[in-house]
């Protein structure tokens, strides 16, 4: 069920908490430019298997408040920390997709992995993020024709065929964000990275990456794997940037095996 957690005076973050009585908790962090609903095909399965699924909408996205500032990795990681504390989460798995993966990595370093016993990185924007020219092109497109920009992202996102209705649903998630927040996160991806955070991760880590990923190249997943000591790396042969949907049955099964 949905609720809100105040992370700063006047700024409330939307939290989805499905099956709070579940035996183990997975805390999902969505990617850019989406919201918590991107994990619908995990919520359909994992709670029925006994897992508690917690997820948020970043500030500026989905149902959360949309301040004009606060879009650094540090601030976003702090928001996650406040939510984890408010829900009194302990011994949970933190699972971040794309930019959400970078936020999860920053959380592990900045907050000493508070409450986290396992980490899952899904097509994570790591160890470095988006090159300057690509980011600037996305920002320009966002500020001039955001629907068209979101359509182009949708076209790049998946390796497998998606239907028109699915593409529309996917785009609508992006449209729920504020335009300025969409641009601000891309500026963060341009100007920040989590390279130096990776050596601070000391929990079991599963890295999954689509080999056809056109948004965060597969090689970045391989590099992240080398930089996180003892991490496990699993390629997804039939996925682009959306393996959580493209190979959802395999991903869900692997996630459950890893979480235990």
């Amino acid at each position: 069920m949905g609720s809100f957690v105040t992370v700063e005076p006047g700024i409330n973050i939307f939290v989805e908490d499905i099956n709070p009585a579940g035996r183990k908790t997975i805390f999902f962090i969505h990617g850019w430019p989406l919201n918590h609903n991107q994990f619908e095909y995990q919520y359909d399965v994992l709670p029925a298997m006994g897992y508690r699924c917690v997820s948020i909408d970043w500030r500026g996205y989905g149902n959360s408040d949309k301040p004009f500032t606060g879009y650094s990795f540090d601030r976003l990681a702090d928001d996650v920390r406040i939510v984890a504390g408010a829900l009194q989460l302990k011994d949970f798995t933190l699972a971040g997709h794309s930019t959400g993966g970078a936020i999860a990595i920053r959380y592990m370093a900045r907050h000493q992995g508070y409450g986290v016993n396992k980490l899952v990185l899904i097509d994570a924007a790591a160890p470095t993020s988006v090159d300057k020219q690509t980011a600037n092109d996305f920002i320009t497109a966002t500020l001039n024709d955001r629907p068209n920009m979101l359509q182009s992202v949708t076209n790049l996102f998946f390796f497998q065929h998606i239907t028109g209705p699915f593409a529309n649903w996917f785009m609508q998630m992006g449209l729920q964000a504020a335009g300025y927040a969409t641009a601000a996160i891309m500026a963060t991806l341009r100007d920040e990275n989590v390279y130096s955070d990776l050596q601070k991760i000391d929990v079991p880590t599963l890295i999954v990456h689509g080999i056809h990923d056109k948004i965060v190249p597969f090689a970045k997943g391989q590099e992240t794997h080398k930089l996180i000591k003892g991490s496990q790396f699993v390629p997804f042969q039939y996925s682009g940037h959306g393996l959580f949907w493209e190979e959802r049955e395999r991903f869900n099964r692997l996630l459950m095996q890893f979480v235990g």
Side-chain angles (χ1 to χ4, degrees):
M1 59 183 274
S3 62
F4 289 89
V5 170
T6 300
V7 293
E8 286 186 282
I11 300 176
N12 301 298
I13 295 294
F14 177 80
V15 180
E16 187 71 85
D17 189 355
I18 305 170
N19 192 27
R23 58 187 176 82
K24 293 194 176 179
T25 300
I26 306 171
F27 190 152
F28 292 95
I29 307 178
H30 68 82
W32 180 91
L34 306 169
N35 59 49
H36 79 279
N37 286 310
Q38 78 167 78
F39 295 112
E40 175 176 332
Y41 297 91
Q42 282 63 61
Y43 309 147
D44 288 347
V45 173
L46 299 176
M49 302 301 291
Y51 295 91
R52 178 185 187 183
C53 293
V54 173
S55 56
I56 62 170
D57 291 340
W58 304 339
R59 59 173 61 214
Y61 290 70
N63 296 319
S64 289
D65 287 344
K66 297 175 172 61
F68 192 68
T69 59
Y71 297 100
S72 67
F73 283 152
D74 281 356
R75 180 64 252 186
L76 295 165
D78 291 351
D79 290 349
V80 174
R81 169 65 181 86
I82 292 167
V83 170
L87 271 59
Q88 298 182 312
L89 300 182
K90 297 177 181 178
D91 299 325
F92 64 94
T93 297
L94 186 61
H97 171 254
S98 194
T99 305
I103 295 167
I105 291 166
R106 178 58 52 85
Y107 176 93
M108 296 301 295
R110 183 172 170 84
H111 296 291
Q112 296 78 51
Y114 172 86
V116 176
N117 64 6
K118 292 182 180 179
L119 177 67
V120 180
L121 301 175
I122 310 157
D123 296 303
T128 54
S129 302
V130 180
D131 70 84
K132 184 175 181 179
Q133 186 58 55
T134 300
N136 287 341
D137 288 346
F138 272 123
I139 291 169
T140 298
T142 296
L143 298 177
N144 287 281
D145 188 346
R146 188 161 63 107
N148 188 61
M149 183 280 294
L150 291 169
Q151 179 66 67
S152 69
V153 169
T154 303
N155 292 341
L156 284 172
F157 214 93
F158 299 98
F159 173 67
Q160 296 192 30
H161 170 74
I162 59 172
T163 63
F166 184 94
N168 182 62
W169 169 75
F170 201 74
M171 273 190 63
Q172 291 301 319
M173 277 191 273
L175 288 170
Q176 288 177 41
Y180 53 81
T182 304
I185 291 290
M186 187 51 62
T188 294
L189 286 166
R190 177 193 65 200
D191 299 337
E192 297 189 41
N193 66 67
V194 294
Y195 190 96
S196 62
D197 299 300
L198 296 174
Q199 63 187 359
K200 300 174 184 177
I201 294 172
D202 61 359
V203 299
T205 301
L206 172 65
I207 301 169
V208 292
H209 215 106
I211 68 169
H212 303 284
D213 195 331
K214 294 181 180 178
I215 294 178
V216 179
F218 182 72
K220 293 214 173 188
Q222 293 175 305
E223 188 177 359
T224 299
H225 167 50
K226 290 177 182 177
L227 292 168
I228 298 179
K229 186 177 180 180
S231 60
Q232 178 182 351
F233 184 69
V234 180
F236 275 62
Q237 303 290 334
Y238 307 105
S239 292
H241 197 56
L243 65 84
F244 56 90
W245 179 79
E246 295 182 272
E247 294 183 75
R248 52 198 173 277
E249 290 183 4
R250 183 185 180 208
F251 173 65
N252 290 343
R253 187 167 58 248
L254 184 65
L255 185 58
M256 286 187 285
Q257 289 171 352
F258 180 69
V259 173

